[in-house]
Amino acid sequence: MHTNTGFPADFLWGGAAAANQFEGAYNVDGKGLTVQDVTPKGGFGHITDGPTPDNLKLEGIDFYHRYKDDVKLFAEMGFKVFRTSIAWSRIFPNGDETEPNEAGLQFYDDLFDELLAHNIEPLITLSHYETPLHLSKTYDGWVNRKMIDFYENYVRTVFNRYKGKVKYWLTFNEINSILHAPFMSGGISTSPDKLSQKDLYQAVHHELVASALATKIGHEIMPEAKIGCMVLAMPTYPLTSNPDDIIAVMEAERKNYFFSDVHVRGTYPGYMKRYFAENNIELDVTAEDLEILKNTVDFISFSYYMSTTETADESKREKGAGNILGGVQNPYLEASEWGWQIDPKGLRVVLNDFWDRYQKPLFIVENGLGAIDKLEEDADGNLTVNDDYRIDYLSSHLSQVKEAIKDGVELMGYTSWGCIDLVSASTAEMKKRYGFIYVDRNNDGSGTLNRYKKKSFDWYKNVIASNGEDL
């Protein structure tokens, strides 16, 4: 018997970003506004009436005008894949038009051509936290069934346009995050305190149907393409061995598994039917919806930043500062500067859990450390960042990925999050940096936008060159 000892020969190494966090050019070439243009303080902050100067995402890191130089840097690191997203409102500025905006389509043609010229495969997210603002304001985002038709029109347009160029597609970014950030994730303009569970899960249902529909259409238009779902992965540990804590963990994990279960199995799981019944949530689900849901994904992609811990004991529920998604703090783990608990072994756990549950190829499309970086001179007088903490973080996570591959997990690739510094999604800061490439832009908007290679740049280049042997 052959055992897997390391990363497969065709492993897709690369990096990941999102249109709304790094492109900038928010009103250029006919682009419409999105939910990001009115959330200057990030996904959990207040919503403004229109774009405001303190919103760093409006300019991002100006990837829109600098992508050729940035792609060259990605190629220098040896990227085999680059994950980014198409800004829906570049293609359909309001989201509900019938005819697309040609300038927006052309931008992505040019970007994908540039990537392919450097032998980098585009991995494209169709909707990454950038619902067109008009769809949010006019239809309350995904609460409205009409969104499925608007999304279908958008998806058909880009699949037909890029079918020869893009082989790997993701339908929605962190689709399960709608439970925690309904405006950013689902374009839902009803405020969370007024949003009923029924409307929230109706929005979830519409997204799941839209995702399955995109998978169906994608397979028809591009038979050779691979289409995946994308979920926020969060392994959950019991605080104690009390069976009540184990049940609490099971229930917490199912809130996330629900999304991948539907994507992979094509039906609603029994535990969700129970949850809906016990919470008087009656969804509008048609026979056609159920038929569409049977179009299951080719692979499961996910983000992994942290694990969480659960308990049934209310008196022990001490929240971690960075546990934006609930849970309690794990006494055995350290935390990042933003309070996110660092748990490399949790990544091995997640990989094995998903593999055991689904037996479908997996793809880690986000993983990384947000940290405050200091630009300083190296021995040769070049500006760099000595980010050994980032190297340690990524190296320890990739070591666990290697363990999971030895366990028999089938893994397609790894794209580290924010491979070039960008505006953070949760807080909309520049100072929470993830990249191998430093971008000179500060939280107050000042800076030259010049790019500098961090110490981790050469480290990652070496990891890719050695196919993960040299961590």
Side-chain angles (χ1 to χ4, degrees), residues 34 86-96 108 126-127 130-132 135 142 147 150-152 154 172:
T34 79
I86 294 174
W88 185 347
S89 71
R90 285 202 193 282
I91 314 303
F92 292 97
N94 287 325
D96 58 2
Y108 293 106
L126 288 159
S127 179
E130 64 349 36
T131 307
L135 296 184
W142 281 98
M147 289 289 287
F150 301 144
Y151 182 77
E152 179 185 355
Y154 159 59
F172 289 94

Side-chain angles (χ1 to χ4, degrees), residues 289-301:
D289 291 348
L290 297 176
E291 204 48 46
I292 291 169
L293 287 177
K294 292 177 186 168
N295 294 281
T296 55
V297 291
D298 301 310
F299 66 97
I300 299 141
S301 78

Side-chain angles (χ1 to χ4, degrees), residues 352-383:
N352 275 281
D353 282 353
F354 277 145
W355 178 251
D356 291 346
R357 195 175 181 100
Y358 303 123
Q359 303 282 297
K360 283 253 183 189
L362 306 176
F363 204 137
I364 303 164
V365 294
E366 286 188 30
N367 170 237
L369 176 69
I372 295 172
D373 288 341
K374 192 166 155 246
L375 201 57
E376 49 198 357
E377 281 191 18
D378 66 12
D380 303 323
N382 299 313
L383 288 174

Side-chain angles (χ1 to χ4, degrees), residues 210-229:
S211 183
L213 188 56
T215 304
K216 175 178 188 282
I217 294 164
H219 286 148
E220 287 163 5
I221 293 174
M222 314 168 288
E224 72 298 336
K226 299 272 182 248
I227 299 163
C229 58

Side-chain angles (χ1 to χ4, degrees), residues 328-357:
V328 295
Q329 252 179 321
N330 186 330
Y332 297 98
L333 296 176
E334 292 182 10
S336 77
E337 293 170 276
W338 273 265
W340 293 19
Q341 294 208 293
I342 296 171
D343 179 17
K345 286 178 181 164
L347 182 48
R348 180 182 175 192
V349 171
V350 163
L351 285 163
N352 275 281
D353 282 353
F354 277 145
W355 178 251
D356 291 346
R357 195 175 181 100

Side-chain angles (χ1 to χ4, degrees), residues 28-40:
V28 170
D29 292 336
K31 180 180 175 293
L33 295 178
T34 79
V35 293
Q36 293 290 345
D37 297 319
V38 294
T39 48

Side-chain angles (χ1 to χ4, degrees), residues 2 95 119 150 161 213 225 244 265 268 289 340 344 352 361 370 373 382 388 393 405 410 431:
H2 173 70
N119 299 312
F150 301 144
R161 179 76 171 224
L213 188 56
D244 289 343
R265 297 176 176 156
Y268 270 74
D289 291 348
W340 293 19
N352 275 281
D373 288 341
N382 299 313
D388 293 289
Y393 178 98
I405 292 171
E410 192 182 318
K431 75 170 184 186

